[in-house]
Amino acid sequence: MITKRIIPCLDVRDGRVVKGVNFEGLRDLSSPVELGKYYSDNGADELVFYDITASHEGRKLFTEILTEVASTIFIPLTVGGGINTLDDFDRVLKCGADKVSVNSGAIRNPSLIGEAAKRYGDQCVVLSVDVKRVNGEFRVFAKGGREDTGMEAIEWIRRCVGDGAGEIVVNSIDTDGVKGGFDLEMLEAVCNAVSVPVIASGGAGCIDHFTTLFNTLPGVDAGLAASIFHFGEVTIPDLKKELKNNGISVRL
C-alpha cells in the first residue's frame, strides 16, 4: 500500500509566512525558518515553500531565507514562486530545494516544463495549478489566483504531464482557506486524467477532511494544508494517528 504524505505549506510574502481565504486577505503569521523546523521535527513528510507574490511582482524568489529553511529541515522541500526559467530552477535547487514547483512560469512559457524535466528529471518538476470554476468549467488561474487564463484545467494538466511534470499540486481556489473540505470533484477529475502523483490543496479544516480525501480518492497521494497546521488546530502526529486508525497507510 502506498504511504500517503502529509505536507504543510508555507505561503511566504516579504520573508514571512502568511495565510488568507480564497487567495485574498493575507495576514502575517510567523518566520518560515521557525515553522519549517517545527514541521520537520513533528512528522511532516515534506514541506512546500511558496513565495506567493514573486510572480505577481515580477521578481525572483527570496533565496537567503530559502537557504536558511533548507538548512534547518530534514524532509524533502518543494519550492515555488517566480520560477520562469531554467536559471530559476538552478538557483532554487542550489539553495537546497529537492523539487521545484512551477505555475505562472509554465503558463507564460509552456516549453519550460519539458526543458526542466530533461535537465533535472521528471521527479524534480512539480506543476502547481490554481484552479477555479468559471461557468461550470475548471479554469486555470495565474499570478497567485489573480488572473483567469481562459485555459481548461484538466487539458492543461494532461499536457504538462506529457511534457514531463512528475507531480501535480491541485490548488482549489474555490475551497482555499474556507476549511469546508478538499475539492473532491476537482481532484477526481485530475486523478482520472493523469498517472503521476496528485497532491490535494485547499479546503482542509479538520482531521476528518483528510480521512474523507484518502478514503474517497485513493488515487490522491498527499494532502497539503496551511492554516490548520499553522494555528495548531490540527497537529500532524494526531492527524497521522487518526489516518492509521482508519486503515490509511502513513509514515509515523
Side-chain angles (χ1 to χ4, degrees), residues 22 133 171-183 201-204:
N22 300 125
R133 289 166 179 78
N171 307 303
S172 170
I173 298 174
D174 294 323
T175 61
D176 176 71
V178 179
K179 299 186 181 177
F182 289 100
D183 198 326
S201 170

Side-chain angles (χ1 to χ4, degrees), residues 3-10 32-49 69 72-78 98-99 210 214 221-226 228-230 234-241 243 250-252:
T3 302
K4 301 302 184 186
R5 291 171 287 153
I6 302 300
I7 307 174
C9 176
L10 307 182
V33 179
E34 287 168 17
L35 261 187
K37 184 177 188 322
Y38 170 78
Y39 290 132
S40 179
D41 293 345
N42 283 274
D45 296 297
E46 297 186 15
L47 186 69
V48 168
F49 178 114
V69 170
T72 55
I73 68 171
F74 300 96
I75 51 176
L77 175 63
T78 298
D98 299 282
K99 296 184 268 190
F210 287 88
F214 294 129
D221 290 75
L224 181 149
I228 61 163
F229 296 142
H230 299 341
V234 171
T235 70
I236 291 171
D238 285 349
L239 169 57
K240 287 189 166 186
K241 216 174 288 172
L243 289 172
V250 291
R251 180 184 66 86
L252 293 175

Side-chain angles (χ1 to χ4, degrees), residues 127 152-163 189 192-194:
L127 175 71
E152 198 280 322
I154 305 304
E155 276 313 304
W156 169 244
I157 290 167
R158 246 198 219 108
R159 173 183 171 178
C160 291
V161 168
D163 288 345
N192 289 340
V194 298

Side-chain angles (χ1 to χ4, degrees), residues 43-184:
D45 296 297
E46 297 186 15
L47 186 69
V48 168
F49 178 114
Y50 286 141
D51 185 338
I52 58 169
T53 53
S55 290
H56 175 61
E57 292 168 4
R59 60 167 170 77
K60 294 188 185 303
L61 183 142
F62 296 113
T63 49
E64 302 79 8
I65 201 137
L66 171 58
T67 303
E68 206 178 336
V69 170
S71 67
T72 55
I73 68 171
F74 300 96
I75 51 176
L77 175 63
T78 298
V79 176
I83 306 294
N84 295 299
T85 64
L86 287 182
D87 284 347
D88 292 328
F89 268 81
D90 203 51
R91 194 165 43 84
V92 166
L93 291 167
K94 282 176 178 161
C95 287
D98 299 282
K99 296 184 268 190
V100 181
S101 174
V102 63
N103 185 335
S104 296
I107 293 167
R108 271 191 296 273
N109 173 19
S111 65
L112 178 61
I113 283 176
E115 291 166 4
K118 279 195 193 77
R119 182 176 292 187
Y120 303 108
D122 293 14
Q123 79 291 338
C124 181
V125 183
V126 178
L127 175 71
S128 178
V129 196
D130 297 333
V131 187
K132 187 176 184 178
R133 289 166 179 78
V134 178
N135 299 324
E137 179 181 77
F138 293 133
R139 201 77 65 76
V140 177
F141 276 66
K143 295 184 179 173
R146 293 174 183 86
E147 187 180 284
D148 184 354
T149 65
M151 292 194 298
E152 198 280 322
I154 305 304
E155 276 313 304
W156 169 244
I157 290 167
R158 246 198 219 108
R159 173 183 171 178
C160 291
V161 168
D163 288 345
E167 192 167 78
I168 309 296
V169 177
V170 183
N171 307 303
S172 170
I173 298 174
D174 294 323
T175 61
D176 176 71
V178 179
K179 299 186 181 177
F182 289 100
D183 198 326
L184 301 178

